[in-house]
Amino acid sequence: MQRIKSLFVANRGEIAVRIIRACRELGIAAVQGYSEADQDSLAVKFADKSVCIGAAPSKESYLNQKVLIDAAKASGADAIHPGYGFLSENAEFAEQCEKAGLIYVGPQSSVIRLMGDKAAARKLAHEAGVPITMGSPDPITSPEEAIEIGKRVGYPLLVKAAAGGGGRGMRVVTQEGELRESLERAAAEASAAFGDGSLYIEKYLSPVRHVEVQVIGDGNNIIHLGERDCTIQRRHQKLVEEGPSPALSPALRERITASAVALARHVGYRSAGTLEYIVDAAKQEFYFIEMNTRIQVEHPVTEMLTGLDLVKMQIRIADGEPLAIKQSDVRVSGHVIECRINAEDPEKGFMPRPGVLGEYTAPSGPGVRIDSHAFPGYKLPPHYDSLIAKLLVWGSDRTEALARMKRALGEFKISGVPTTIEFHKRLIDESDFVEGDVHTRYVKEKMWAGHPTQHML
Ligand code: ADP
Ligand code: ADP
Ligand code: MG
């Protein structure tokens, strides 16, 4: 029996459009909650109904829990989808939705709480037999304690925010003398970004790749949908995602996906989720870094590889349906690459440069998927992140996917704001990338070597 007849979208941009599309295909009415800056957005145009939830600053709209829940209730919605970013990993919000009688499209609030504290998640992973890097078992309580941990794990180490996300509140520390200042700065950044300054420490491993495993479950039947490789980053933030990972042997793939399922089962996971790892490709070792208890930006990579619709599956599971597939039904076919097209100036440290789009001509044709909320004349609000579009291509193998991405990037025309398109064109021609021989510092250390803004990446 379908309980969800109407769903409130508590997010914006391309993910709001993505969620509305899923609703439409499921015969569910979509209600878009929008801020004053998003009045003319594609999400508002596509939704069945839309409600203004406040002023442009996120704190007054997309982060305002009470306003969102009241708006959802008043609109007659039965469910709420948090998307990614904003309140998508806020256990309090999930709990308040549940209390208000709204179906929260995501895991149980208790599971969000468990995994949302990244230091606690590391402990849990360790309990479930999943390898983690050396580091502090709990959030650190004093600089002296951090210095002791530093002596034990060795340098370089990474100071990380327990509530972290989006690459923020993270600092690489190369020697003990830098530790105090790094702790202060990371704590300040984490307090400002997440309202929580608690920090923990991990051994900083380099060179490594970022590989993550998509899982989905209904609380009982919990399976994985393969991996995505998100090694191409700047400032610990992803720029390109692809699958399957060019760096995993079949044996390592087997181990890493099995560990992800083990950990998801350990917490009785319900909904879609992602377990992130760093991988030492030379040693064929992997280490769990965090779990994202939400839909991820790069989920379409998995959708194109498996033919599954993750957002519809999330909604069905939230509605109480059991997961309709089992592990042996999952087939990964071909190769997919996603490039994040952001309004950023790669020549100036990838700084966000929102503005008004002039031309917006997106590529299409065989094997191309665009997830975007942009259109010619669209005004990118300065209040939110700078994503304009996700460009994805499918190829029967990686070689075809690379050629197709090159072709599609050539068709992509955006004027009015600087974008990452030229960066991606350069990357796709780098022989190291073509050969799959990259690491998470590749953009900074190889592509930007000697560049005046190298220190910013
Ligand atoms: P993904 O793994 O899905 O790529 P990211 O870490 O890039 O996730 O974050 C997805 C989006 O959410 C980005 O726009 C990022 O800036 C934002 N984000 C992530 N975590 C937080 C957070 N705790 N608070 C605010 N925004 C966040
Ligand atoms: P966030 O919550 O901001 O997404 P993550 O813990 O997922 O933070 O880490 C983001 C990125 O930082 C990773 O993709 C990786 O590039 C780098 N990173 C994180 N932990 C380590 C580590 N222990 N050693 C080396 N790099 C790391
Ligand atoms: Mg992460």
Side-chain angles (χ1 to χ4, degrees), residues 89-109:
E89 291 186 275
N90 187 308
E92 169 71 19
F93 181 60
E95 202 171 274
Q96 290 306 322
C97 289
E98 289 161 7
K99 279 197 183 136
L102 289 161
I103 296 169
Y104 180 78
V105 182
Q108 311 86 309
S109 58

Side-chain angles (χ1 to χ4, degrees), residues 85 123 126-127 216 247 311 351 359 382 403 429 443:
K123 263 189 164 169
H126 185 65
E127 265 172 44
I216 193 154
V311 179
M351 275 300 127
E359 180 180 6
D429 277 337
V443 176

